[in-house]
mmCIF file of all heavy atoms in Angstrom:
data_model
loop_
_atom_site.group_PDB
_atom_site.id
_atom_site.type_symbol
_atom_site.label_atom_id
_atom_site.label_comp_id
_atom_site.label_asym_id
_atom_site.label_seq_id
_atom_site.Cartn_x
_atom_site.Cartn_y
_atom_site.Cartn_z
ATOM 1 N N GLN B 144 -14.348 -12.805 -14.994
ATOM 2 C CA GLN B 144 -13.364 -13.884 -14.790
ATOM 3 C C GLN B 144 -12.046 -13.579 -15.502
ATOM 4 O O GLN B 144 -10.970 -13.902 -14.991
ATOM 5 C CB GLN B 144 -13.949 -15.211 -15.267
ATOM 6 C CG GLN B 144 -14.925 -15.796 -14.241
ATOM 7 C CD GLN B 144 -15.825 -16.856 -14.813
ATOM 8 O OE1 GLN B 144 -15.603 -17.344 -15.925
ATOM 9 N NE2 GLN B 144 -16.857 -17.238 -14.083
ATOM 10 N N ALA B 145 -12.155 -12.951 -16.673
ATOM 11 C CA ALA B 145 -10.931 -12.599 -17.408
ATOM 12 C C ALA B 145 -10.112 -11.592 -16.619
ATOM 13 O O ALA B 145 -8.882 -11.715 -16.522
ATOM 14 C CB ALA B 145 -11.295 -12.041 -18.782
ATOM 15 N N VAL B 146 -10.782 -10.619 -16.027
ATOM 16 C CA VAL B 146 -10.073 -9.602 -15.231
ATOM 17 C C VAL B 146 -9.517 -10.237 -13.957
ATOM 18 O O VAL B 146 -8.381 -9.976 -13.564
ATOM 19 C CB VAL B 146 -11.007 -8.410 -14.896
ATOM 20 C CG1 VAL B 146 -10.334 -7.448 -13.921
ATOM 21 C CG2 VAL B 146 -11.390 -7.671 -16.172
ATOM 22 N N ALA B 147 -10.335 -11.091 -13.334
ATOM 23 C CA ALA B 147 -9.889 -11.737 -12.088
ATOM 24 C C ALA B 147 -8.683 -12.640 -12.317
ATOM 25 O O ALA B 147 -7.885 -12.849 -11.406
ATOM 26 C CB ALA B 147 -11.035 -12.539 -11.484
ATOM 27 N N ALA B 148 -8.567 -13.173 -13.543
ATOM 28 C CA ALA B 148 -7.462 -14.090 -13.840
ATOM 29 C C ALA B 148 -6.146 -13.355 -14.072
ATOM 30 O O ALA B 148 -5.081 -13.975 -14.101
ATOM 31 C CB ALA B 148 -7.814 -14.933 -15.066
ATOM 32 N N LEU B 149 -6.223 -12.033 -14.240
ATOM 33 C CA LEU B 149 -4.981 -11.271 -14.458
ATOM 34 C C LEU B 149 -4.159 -11.244 -13.174
ATOM 35 O O LEU B 149 -4.733 -11.210 -12.079
ATOM 36 C CB LEU B 149 -5.310 -9.823 -14.851
ATOM 37 C CG LEU B 149 -5.948 -9.568 -16.216
ATOM 38 C CD1 LEU B 149 -6.347 -8.089 -16.330
ATOM 39 C CD2 LEU B 149 -5.004 -9.938 -17.346
ATOM 40 N N PRO B 150 -2.837 -11.220 -13.299
ATOM 41 C CA PRO B 150 -2.010 -11.009 -12.103
ATOM 42 C C PRO B 150 -2.408 -9.691 -11.420
ATOM 43 O O PRO B 150 -2.838 -8.749 -12.106
ATOM 44 C CB PRO B 150 -0.586 -10.936 -12.658
ATOM 45 C CG PRO B 150 -0.650 -11.674 -13.939
ATOM 46 C CD PRO B 150 -2.010 -11.436 -14.498
ATOM 47 N N GLU B 151 -2.257 -9.632 -10.101
ATOM 48 C CA GLU B 151 -2.796 -8.514 -9.321
ATOM 49 C C GLU B 151 -2.383 -7.132 -9.823
ATOM 50 O O GLU B 151 -3.216 -6.233 -9.957
ATOM 51 C CB GLU B 151 -2.355 -8.671 -7.865
ATOM 52 C CG GLU B 151 -2.964 -9.877 -7.186
ATOM 53 C CD GLU B 151 -2.198 -10.301 -5.951
ATOM 54 O OE1 GLU B 151 -1.188 -9.663 -5.620
ATOM 55 O OE2 GLU B 151 -2.611 -11.283 -5.311
ATOM 56 N N LYS B 152 -1.097 -6.977 -10.118
ATOM 57 C CA LYS B 152 -0.619 -5.649 -10.530
ATOM 58 C C LYS B 152 -1.160 -5.278 -11.905
ATOM 59 O O LYS B 152 -1.484 -4.124 -12.164
ATOM 60 C CB LYS B 152 0.914 -5.600 -10.519
ATOM 61 C CG LYS B 152 1.484 -5.207 -9.178
ATOM 62 C CD LYS B 152 2.899 -4.709 -9.312
ATOM 63 C CE LYS B 152 3.349 -3.974 -8.065
ATOM 64 N NZ LYS B 152 4.707 -3.435 -8.202
ATOM 65 N N GLN B 153 -1.218 -6.267 -12.796
ATOM 66 C CA GLN B 153 -1.779 -6.015 -14.127
ATOM 67 C C GLN B 153 -3.239 -5.604 -13.995
ATOM 68 O O GLN B 153 -3.730 -4.705 -14.674
ATOM 69 C CB GLN B 153 -1.683 -7.265 -14.990
ATOM 70 C CG GLN B 153 -0.270 -7.591 -15.466
ATOM 71 C CD GLN B 153 -0.245 -8.762 -16.438
ATOM 72 O OE1 GLN B 153 -1.217 -9.050 -17.117
ATOM 73 N NE2 GLN B 153 0.884 -9.450 -16.512
ATOM 74 N N ARG B 154 -3.940 -6.290 -13.093
ATOM 75 C CA ARG B 154 -5.363 -6.004 -12.882
ATOM 76 C C ARG B 154 -5.542 -4.560 -12.385
ATOM 77 O O ARG B 154 -6.375 -3.810 -12.893
ATOM 78 C CB ARG B 154 -5.931 -6.980 -11.848
ATOM 79 C CG ARG B 154 -7.439 -7.021 -11.808
ATOM 80 C CD ARG B 154 -7.943 -7.899 -10.696
ATOM 81 N NE ARG B 154 -7.127 -9.089 -10.468
ATOM 82 C CZ ARG B 154 -7.189 -9.845 -9.388
ATOM 83 N NH1 ARG B 154 -8.044 -9.545 -8.432
ATOM 84 N NH2 ARG B 154 -6.418 -10.907 -9.245
ATOM 85 N N ALA B 155 -4.732 -4.212 -11.385
ATOM 86 C CA ALA B 155 -4.830 -2.854 -10.831
ATOM 87 C C ALA B 155 -4.526 -1.817 -11.907
ATOM 88 O O ALA B 155 -5.214 -0.791 -12.010
ATOM 89 C CB ALA B 155 -3.867 -2.705 -9.657
ATOM 90 N N ALA B 156 -3.504 -2.087 -12.726
ATOM 91 C CA ALA B 156 -3.127 -1.135 -13.782
ATOM 92 C C ALA B 156 -4.258 -0.971 -14.797
ATOM 93 O O ALA B 156 -4.600 0.153 -15.181
ATOM 94 C CB ALA B 156 -1.848 -1.608 -14.468
ATOM 95 N N VAL B 157 -4.855 -2.074 -15.211
ATOM 96 C CA VAL B 157 -5.951 -2.016 -16.189
ATOM 97 C C VAL B 157 -7.140 -1.246 -15.616
ATOM 98 O O VAL B 157 -7.721 -0.384 -16.293
ATOM 99 C CB VAL B 157 -6.395 -3.448 -16.609
ATOM 100 C CG1 VAL B 157 -7.750 -3.417 -17.298
ATOM 101 C CG2 VAL B 157 -5.363 -4.057 -17.529
ATOM 102 N N LEU B 158 -7.483 -1.531 -14.376
ATOM 103 C CA LEU B 158 -8.657 -0.879 -13.771
ATOM 104 C C LEU B 158 -8.434 0.622 -13.620
ATOM 105 O O LEU B 158 -9.347 1.421 -13.854
ATOM 106 C CB LEU B 158 -8.977 -1.512 -12.412
ATOM 107 C CG LEU B 158 -9.394 -2.989 -12.452
ATOM 108 C CD1 LEU B 158 -9.679 -3.513 -11.052
ATOM 109 C CD2 LEU B 158 -10.613 -3.200 -13.347
ATOM 110 N N MET B 159 -7.233 1.015 -13.229
ATOM 111 C CA MET B 159 -6.954 2.444 -13.099
ATOM 112 C C MET B 159 -6.927 3.121 -14.472
ATOM 113 O O MET B 159 -7.365 4.251 -14.624
ATOM 114 C CB MET B 159 -5.623 2.658 -12.362
ATOM 115 C CG MET B 159 -5.743 2.484 -10.861
ATOM 116 S SD MET B 159 -4.256 2.949 -9.969
ATOM 117 C CE MET B 159 -3.400 1.388 -9.915
ATOM 118 N N HIS B 160 -6.401 2.408 -15.473
ATOM 119 C CA HIS B 160 -6.312 2.963 -16.828
ATOM 120 C C HIS B 160 -7.684 3.042 -17.479
ATOM 121 O O HIS B 160 -8.066 4.066 -18.031
ATOM 122 C CB HIS B 160 -5.361 2.080 -17.657
ATOM 123 C CG HIS B 160 -5.133 2.584 -19.045
ATOM 124 N ND1 HIS B 160 -5.565 1.904 -20.152
ATOM 125 C CD2 HIS B 160 -4.515 3.704 -19.504
ATOM 126 C CE1 HIS B 160 -5.227 2.582 -21.238
ATOM 127 N NE2 HIS B 160 -4.579 3.671 -20.873
ATOM 128 N N LYS B 161 -8.437 1.965 -17.392
ATOM 129 C CA LYS B 161 -9.715 1.883 -18.099
ATOM 130 C C LYS B 161 -10.818 2.681 -17.407
ATOM 131 O O LYS B 161 -11.508 3.481 -18.043
ATOM 132 C CB LYS B 161 -10.140 0.399 -18.214
ATOM 133 C CG LYS B 161 -11.561 0.171 -18.712
ATOM 134 C CD LYS B 161 -11.706 0.554 -20.177
ATOM 135 C CE LYS B 161 -13.131 0.383 -20.683
ATOM 136 N NZ LYS B 161 -13.940 1.593 -20.496
ATOM 137 N N TYR B 162 -10.996 2.437 -16.118
ATOM 138 C CA TYR B 162 -12.171 3.007 -15.444
ATOM 139 C C TYR B 162 -11.893 4.345 -14.768
ATOM 140 O O TYR B 162 -12.795 5.155 -14.600
ATOM 141 C CB TYR B 162 -12.722 2.016 -14.418
ATOM 142 C CG TYR B 162 -13.230 0.740 -15.048
ATOM 143 C CD1 TYR B 162 -12.487 -0.433 -14.985
ATOM 144 C CD2 TYR B 162 -14.442 0.707 -15.729
ATOM 145 C CE1 TYR B 162 -12.944 -1.606 -15.565
ATOM 146 C CE2 TYR B 162 -14.898 -0.460 -16.324
ATOM 147 C CZ TYR B 162 -14.145 -1.612 -16.236
ATOM 148 O OH TYR B 162 -14.592 -2.765 -16.825
ATOM 149 N N GLU B 163 -10.673 4.547 -14.312
ATOM 150 C CA GLU B 163 -10.359 5.814 -13.623
ATOM 151 C C GLU B 163 -9.672 6.807 -14.555
ATOM 152 O O GLU B 163 -9.404 7.940 -14.153
ATOM 153 C CB GLU B 163 -9.471 5.554 -12.398
ATOM 154 C CG GLU B 163 -9.966 4.474 -11.447
ATOM 155 C CD GLU B 163 -11.414 4.640 -11.028
ATOM 156 O OE1 GLU B 163 -11.851 5.788 -10.846
ATOM 157 O OE2 GLU B 163 -12.118 3.615 -10.916
ATOM 158 N N GLU B 164 -9.352 6.342 -15.769
ATOM 159 C CA GLU B 164 -8.716 7.194 -16.787
ATOM 160 C C GLU B 164 -7.457 7.874 -16.245
ATOM 161 O O GLU B 164 -7.202 9.051 -16.511
ATOM 162 C CB GLU B 164 -9.707 8.229 -17.314
ATOM 163 C CG GLU B 164 -10.920 7.587 -17.974
ATOM 164 C CD GLU B 164 -11.932 8.608 -18.479
ATOM 165 O OE1 GLU B 164 -11.698 9.814 -18.297
ATOM 166 O OE2 GLU B 164 -12.944 8.177 -19.052
ATOM 167 N N MET B 165 -6.712 7.124 -15.470
ATOM 168 C CA MET B 165 -5.492 7.682 -14.891
ATOM 169 C C MET B 165 -4.343 7.608 -15.895
ATOM 170 O O MET B 165 -4.281 6.708 -16.717
ATOM 171 C CB MET B 165 -5.117 6.922 -13.603
ATOM 172 C CG MET B 165 -6.033 7.268 -12.435
ATOM 173 S SD MET B 165 -5.856 6.181 -11.006
ATOM 174 C CE MET B 165 -4.245 6.642 -10.401
ATOM 175 N N GLU B 166 -3.461 8.576 -15.799
ATOM 176 C CA GLU B 166 -2.297 8.604 -16.688
ATOM 177 C C GLU B 166 -1.260 7.586 -16.227
ATOM 178 O O GLU B 166 -1.286 7.144 -15.084
ATOM 179 C CB GLU B 166 -1.678 10.003 -16.659
ATOM 180 C CG GLU B 166 -2.602 11.073 -17.200
ATOM 181 C CD GLU B 166 -2.071 12.464 -16.921
ATOM 182 O OE1 GLU B 166 -0.876 12.598 -16.612
ATOM 183 O OE2 GLU B 166 -2.862 13.403 -17.014
#
Side-chain angles (χ1 to χ4, degrees):
Chain B
Q144 282 163 12
V146 172
L149 291 173
E151 294 160 0
K152 272 200 165 182
Q153 287 186 25
R154 195 185 323 165
V157 164
L158 296 180
M159 282 188 269
H160 183 246
K161 170 69 182 89
Y162 296 104
E163 309 309 323
E164 299 179 359
M165 286 169 70
E166 296 169 17

